[in-house]
Amino acid sequence: MSGALIHQIVMLAVPLIVAIVFHEVAHGWAARALGDPTARDAKRLSLNPLRHVDPIGTVVLPGLLALAHLPVFGWAKPVPVNKWRLRNPRVGMMLVAAAGPGSNIVMALIAALVLGPIGAMPLGPDTRWLVNVVELLATFIQINLFLAIFNLLPIPPFDGSHIVEGLLPAKAAEFYAKFRRLGFALVLVLLVLLPQVIPSFDPIGSFVGPPFEWLYAHVMQVAHWTGRF
């Protein structure tokens, strides 16, 4: 394996794992704050990646999609949440769901605050490390923002589906929740297979791309602003 390939893998894998781990733990922290200690009791409020990484969803599938030049997505082991232990199950599940994408946006902003001053440092013959840090932070920002918006898609079992379910009337929410049993088969069909068969059908390009570009531009403005001081 060449050094360039190892560098590329590290620059992608490290930000991705950190972003996914904090995303999942944020769900558990939110659930605990709202009355459900299930994730805590299962020892899933840990930042240890080994407790959250799913070999298929976090490693194999994203790698295969990347090699096939298809939309890259994946998942970690979901943090267990018992909605009926939340003080307000309907609203609580919406807040727990929103905590994951919210944590990704917060991490992107923090990375932007760090990127600004580092990116403004002068380059020299011994500052290759500086270029690597800037690249790592920029990738970290992109991954976090993409994960945040991607997970807000209203497709079960993504976080956005829990938010939509909480906003729907009771009977409509019950019908909508039935699609959750289809799991990631639904995701594969809607986001991978159908776009290959019908090129004009591009949910990621249509619903993730524009908000991602808008948010990324504004987050990088934060980096630009901090780099001036």
Side-chain angles (χ1 to χ4, degrees):
M1 186 178 294
S2 68
L5 181 57
I6 293 174
H7 173 84
Q8 186 177 4
I9 292 173
V10 170
M11 286 296 175
L12 178 62
V14 171
L16 180 62
I17 290 173
V18 172
I20 288 177
V21 167
F22 271 91
H23 178 106
E24 290 300 326
V25 172
H27 288 313
W29 284 338
R32 178 68 187 91
L34 295 170
D36 175 26
T38 303
R40 182 202 64 189
D41 296 343
K43 303 186 185 303
R44 291 295 305 282
L45 298 185
S46 168
L47 295 179
N48 180 357
L50 297 179
R51 292 187 179 274
H52 304 283
V53 170
D54 182 289
I56 300 299
T58 313
V59 180
V60 176
L61 180 62
L64 291 175
L65 291 173
L67 289 174
H69 302 289
L70 295 172
V72 176
F73 64 88
W75 61 86
K77 295 177 184 176
V79 167
V81 176
N82 185 342
K83 67 181 294 184
W84 302 115
R85 300 180 75 179
L86 298 170
R87 286 187 286 273
N88 185 330
R90 188 178 179 88
V91 175
M93 276 305 297
M94 293 172 63
L95 295 174
V96 170
S103 71
N104 291 127
I105 292 174
V106 169
M107 285 190 290
L109 287 170
I110 293 173
L113 291 172
V114 177
L115 175 62
I118 292 180
M121 295 174 64
L123 295 176
D126 299 320
T127 54
R128 176 61 191 173
W129 66 270
L130 188 60
V131 176
N132 288 336
V133 171
V134 169
E135 180 183 350
L136 192 66
L137 287 170
T139 302
F140 186 66
I141 291 171
Q142 293 172 355
I143 286 175
N144 272 285
L145 295 180
F146 180 83
L147 281 177
I149 299 169
F150 183 77
N151 274 281
L152 288 174
L153 288 172
I155 304 173
F158 290 161
D159 298 329
S161 68
H162 291 287
I163 296 173
V164 169
E165 187 177 330
L167 294 172
L168 290 173
K171 289 187 177 180
E174 184 179 350
F175 175 77
Y176 181 73
K178 292 180 180 179
F179 290 99
R180 202 172 303 283
R181 72 185 65 174
L182 298 176
F184 282 93
L186 184 63
V187 174
L188 288 173
V189 170
L190 291 176
L191 302 184
V192 178
L193 298 180
L194 280 181
Q196 297 303 307
V197 177
I198 310 172
S200 60
F201 183 77
D202 184 13
I204 293 179
S206 300
F207 300 108
V208 177
F212 168 82
E213 293 174 1
W214 182 88
L215 199 53
Y216 180 69
H218 284 76
V219 169
M220 293 307 290
Q221 278 294 109
V222 173
H224 177 73
W225 178 74
T226 57
R228 296 167 57 187
F229 295 94

